[in-house]
Structure formats: C-alpha cells, structure tokens
Amino acid sequence: MHSTDGLTRRRLLQTSLIVGGLSAFGLKSSWASSPPSIDLPFSRGHRPLVAFPEKRPLMVMTTRPPQLETPFSIFDENIFTPNDAFFVRWHLANIPSTVDLHTFRLTIRGRVKQTWSFSLKDLQEQFDPVEVAAVCQCAGNSRGFSEPRVAGGQWGHGAMGNAQWKGVRLRDLLEKAGLEKDAKHIRFDGLDRPVADSTPDFLKSLSLDDVLTDHVLVAYEMNGEPLPFLNGFPLRLVVPGWYATYWVKMLNDIEVLNQEDRSFWMDPAYRIPNNSCGCIKPGEKASNKVPISTMRVRSFITNIVESANIRAGAKVRISGIAFDQGYGIDLVLVSIDDGQHWQAARLGKDYGDFSFRPWETHVALKPGRSYQLQSLAINRIGESQQREAKWNPNGYLRNAVDTIQVRTVSE
Ligand SMILES: Nc1nc2c(c(=O)[nH]1)N[C@H]1C(S)=C(S)[C@@H](COP(=O)(O)O)O[C@H]1N2
Ligand SMILES: [Mo]
C-alpha cells in the first residue's frame, strides 16, 4: 500500500518534470551557450545531449515525441544498459502525463472465456515472477548509415539496450483468461495516443505461437527497478529476440483476436521485403512484404571509437558485444586487414541467449599506420553478419559487419 502511494507520487513529480523538460528544450535561450552534443558520422547527425526525467544526458533526435539515443560509449562501460541511459522511442506525442497505480489496470479481453483487469499489484502477487536478460533493439537501429539515405529517424548504433527484465509470463495471463478455440493473434495497446485523429493508435500484434513461450513477459521491472516512465512505466511487453516495435510500452490492453491484425502499425507499417535478406536494390520495389520479426545477428567493437588514434603494440586489446535473436552467439571474428584474415575472439560471460555477449581479443598493430578494424558475429545456427550492408527503404534489419577506421601512434 505504502509503496504504491509512494510510487504514484514519484511518478506525478517526474511527469511534471517531463512536460517542463520538453518545453524547456524548445526554448533555445534556456542555455547560455550551446548544449553539449555528439555528431554522428552522417548528414543531419548532430545530436544535442539533454537529460530528460529519470535519464542522464542522451542524444536527442526529437523531443515530441521523445526519441533519445544512447551514446555509444555506454555500451563499453556496461553489459546491462543502465535505465537512465537506455534509449527512448515513442511514435505518438500524446503520452499521458501521469499514471496513477490506484486506477491503472491491464485488461485482457476479446476471444477469451473471461475478461480480466489486473492492477500492478495483482500481477506482482498472483503470478510467478520471471526474469530474462534481453536486448531491446529498434528495427531502425543504425538506419542513419543507410546508403542511399532512407526516410525515418536517423539513428546511429545506439537505438538498442540490454536489460534484465522481470515480470509475469504473458502465457500465464492468457491461461487465466482462457483462450477461445478460434484465438489466433494477440493485439497490444499502451496508454499513448495520437495527437491528430488521422494518426492511427500504436497497436502491435503477435501470433499465438509467438507468445506462448517461456520468455514473453509483461514486465514491471528493468534492471531491478520499476520501468522508467519513458521506457513504459508501469508495464511493457518484453519479446526477447524480436525487434523492439513489438515491445509495447505503458501496456494496458491485450485483445485476443480470431484473425490477423491488419491495423496500420502491422500493415503497411513495419514490413520488410519477403526474402531471406529482407532487402531490395535501391530503386526497386518489393513485390511482397511481411511483418518484421526477429533480430539479425550483430556485433560491435565498443572499446575503440571511429577515427581514434590508438597506441600501436603487439597486444592491442579489441573488445565489444554481440547478440542475435536468441540462438546465442557461437563465434565472433575480428579482422585488422579489410577482412582478408579473421581471428576468433574470446567470448566473455554468458548472461543468457537473448543478452549482449561480451567478447575480446588482442591484435598486433604497427605504429604510424591506418587500420580498418572489423568484427563479425556468427550465431549457433550458423547465421552470420552481412559482409556488405543490405538495403531496404526503411533501413530495417541493418547488421553489416562493424567497421571502424583507426590510426596508430608509437607505443
Ligand atoms: N506504447 C508504445 N510502445 C512502444 C512504442 C510506442 O510508440 N508506443 N514504440 C516501440 C518502438 S518502435 C521501440 S524502438 C521501442 C522503444 O523502447 P524504449 O523507448 O524503451 O527504448 O518501444 C516500442 N514500444
Ligand atoms: Mo523502433
């Protein structure tokens, strides 16, 4: 009881800060000089660093709706992305300014035997808690690197994060409600709403097969804390292995459907060309499209940044992270010679198949030279990162080999 009251008050305070923070951001004059910023290496890549409520300064792409990117150095410092550094992406600007836990309910309805409404406390007390470490990655992560350029938010590589999620199994909630025989798809809705009537509400759906697993959660905790407001307080769907578009935030409505959902954010939005690469040639048109689903295998070098001057030596350390859709990482290869030779990195601690996996290796670099450093991950079913970036008109699924240019200085 007490903690619920405390939380409600805290959220009220924080949300008034959000509104204040947003309008303050609109007023350029609120800074004496220009704010700190990061420039991503593509056009229109200038990002002011601004602290939103519950967040440290993050790279602001848009303020309404909030779209904040995690500065890449964070991934070198943490295998689990801190909540205050976790990226933020909303489609609709009408996000509620408060969530009152006394009245908030998650409803399950549609093709079920019994409609249910649960408070946060009900979920915490009536169902087994489950935890999973999983990467939440926007379908358009790294989109800003697409060539030719594509429409949509010009993300660098920081529209992703890894967290320890805790909540209840969606399967357990569906079991409690009892599925009707014709139940086929599940549609998820959150508290956010469009500003204009002509904009469709953000609804996402998954098939029954996709959600009746052990690890699809309705999560109420992230890295041991309640979800930050901007990451979906009080509840969000966690769909390990799947792109973040399905991880519906401020989840308050689950509707069981007896057919496929054709609403806007499932069709035509968030679709990819229906072929093995999900790609087409620029200028071509995909003849057939399917909803985007699970993530492509990726790796990143995190301890050395693009264009760095690094000290040459016989043992230069290169380290980073890798992840895939949940088969787990089998191998990370590193090259220092434009991909002619590759050496296997040592994989670090395994936090679970859906988590970032740390890796590291050592290479010999001579002084006074330019090097192209690359990392390439392969998962346990043999899927590999793309040697050349593939293209589609939305900049989805990007998983080219990570490549950075460095120069060496004397040891
Ligand atoms: N309610 C709601 N949930 C949402 C969205 C949204 O606009 N509204 N955006 C989705 C998309 S596209 C992404 S990338 C992730 C971002 O999650 P984060 O803000 O916690 O990083 O939320 C997903 N869940
Ligand atoms: Mo996204």
Side-chain angles (χ1 to χ4, degrees), residues 18-328:
I18 289 183
V19 176
L22 288 173
S23 52
F25 183 77
L27 298 173
K28 286 223 167 72
S29 58
S30 63
W31 278 292
S33 55
S34 53
S37 62
I38 290 179
D39 285 285
L40 293 166
F42 42 76
S43 63
R44 278 175 277 164
H46 183 72
R47 301 283 180 271
L49 285 162
V50 179
F52 279 59
E54 299 175 283
K55 297 286 174 185
R56 71 180 80 180
L58 299 178
M59 300 157 68
V60 179
M61 189 157 71
T62 60
T63 57
R64 258 185 73 84
Q67 298 194 86
L68 315 175
E69 177 167 346
T70 302
F72 204 74
S73 58
I74 303 286
F75 301 111
D76 192 44
E77 293 156 18
N78 315 271
I79 271 294
F80 288 102
T81 316
N83 289 2
D84 71 345
F86 210 94
F87 85 104
V88 172
R89 195 267 191 264
W90 294 88
H91 290 76
L92 312 174
N94 191 356
I95 304 167
S97 57
T98 59
V99 174
D100 183 348
L101 291 180
H102 294 110
T103 54
F104 174 85
R105 296 290 180 274
L106 170 65
T107 300
I108 303 194
R109 63 191 177 90
R111 304 301 303 153
V112 290
K113 302 226 159 66
Q114 192 184 339
T115 298
W116 282 93
S117 285
F118 301 107
S119 68
L120 176 60
K121 213 160 154 256
D122 294 337
L123 295 180
Q124 288 169 332
E125 289 175 0
Q126 295 173 22
F127 298 88
D128 290 338
V130 180
E131 289 196 44
V132 66
V135 176
C136 174
Q137 182 189 212
C138 179
N141 190 26
S142 315
R143 177 190 283 134
F145 294 95
S146 292
E147 280 173 24
R149 277 174 78 89
V150 293
Q154 301 296 299
W155 297 111
H157 297 313
M160 62 174 186
N162 187 36
Q164 184 77 30
W165 308 94
K166 180 177 175 184
V168 302
R169 283 195 191 95
L170 176 62
R171 191 179 64 199
D172 293 349
L173 301 183
L174 294 173
E175 247 163 46
K176 174 129 186 172
L179 292 170
E180 293 286 5
K181 282 211 169 53
D182 61 356
K184 283 201 180 66
H185 289 260
I186 320 282
R187 177 155 69 189
F188 306 91
D189 191 8
L191 292 173
D192 50 328
R193 290 284 174 270
V195 176
D197 287 346
S198 52
T199 312
D201 188 17
F202 188 78
L203 302 169
K204 293 298 293 188
S205 300
L206 291 165
S207 78
L208 259 191
D209 286 348
D210 295 329
V211 304
L212 294 181
T213 72
D214 282 345
H215 38 249
V216 174
L217 305 186
V218 172
Y220 46 74
E221 264 182 32
M222 177 175 171
N223 295 325
E225 299 275 336
L227 302 171
F229 200 85
L230 289 171
N231 298 109
F233 180 85
L235 297 174
R236 88 175 300 169
L237 196 66
V238 165
V239 195
W242 287 61
Y243 281 103
T245 178
Y246 294 98
W247 297 42
V248 174
K249 299 190 283 187
M250 287 189 184
L251 178 68
N252 74 322
D253 187 64
I254 297 176
E255 185 183 5
V256 179
L257 309 174
N258 61 5
Q259 56 183 12
E260 209 177 316
D261 176 16
R262 307 309 289 256
S263 61
F264 178 82
W265 298 101
M266 292 299 296
D267 185 8
Y270 282 104
R271 293 204 159 216
I272 54 170
N274 187 12
N275 56 40
S276 60
C277 66
C279 68
I280 54 171
K281 292 210 172 71
E284 281 180 358
K285 235 187 146 76
S287 51
N288 184 8
K289 288 183 163 195
V290 290
I292 195 168
S293 60
T294 50
M295 297 192 291
R296 302 294 158 104
V297 59
R298 296 195 86 168
S299 67
F300 293 97
I301 297 168
T302 57
N303 72 323
I304 303 174
V305 299
E306 170 63 29
S307 305
N309 285 311
I310 59 174
R311 209 168 281 279
K315 277 195 161 222
V316 177
R317 182 171 174 269
I318 304 181
S319 64
I321 50 174
F323 64 97
D324 79 328
Q325 61 175 292
Y327 291 105

Side-chain angles (χ1 to χ4, degrees), residues 1-11:
M1 269 304 257
H2 295 286
S3 69
T4 309
D5 283 358
L7 261 180
T8 310
R9 266 199 299 279
R10 188 154 73 88
R11 296 294 151 178

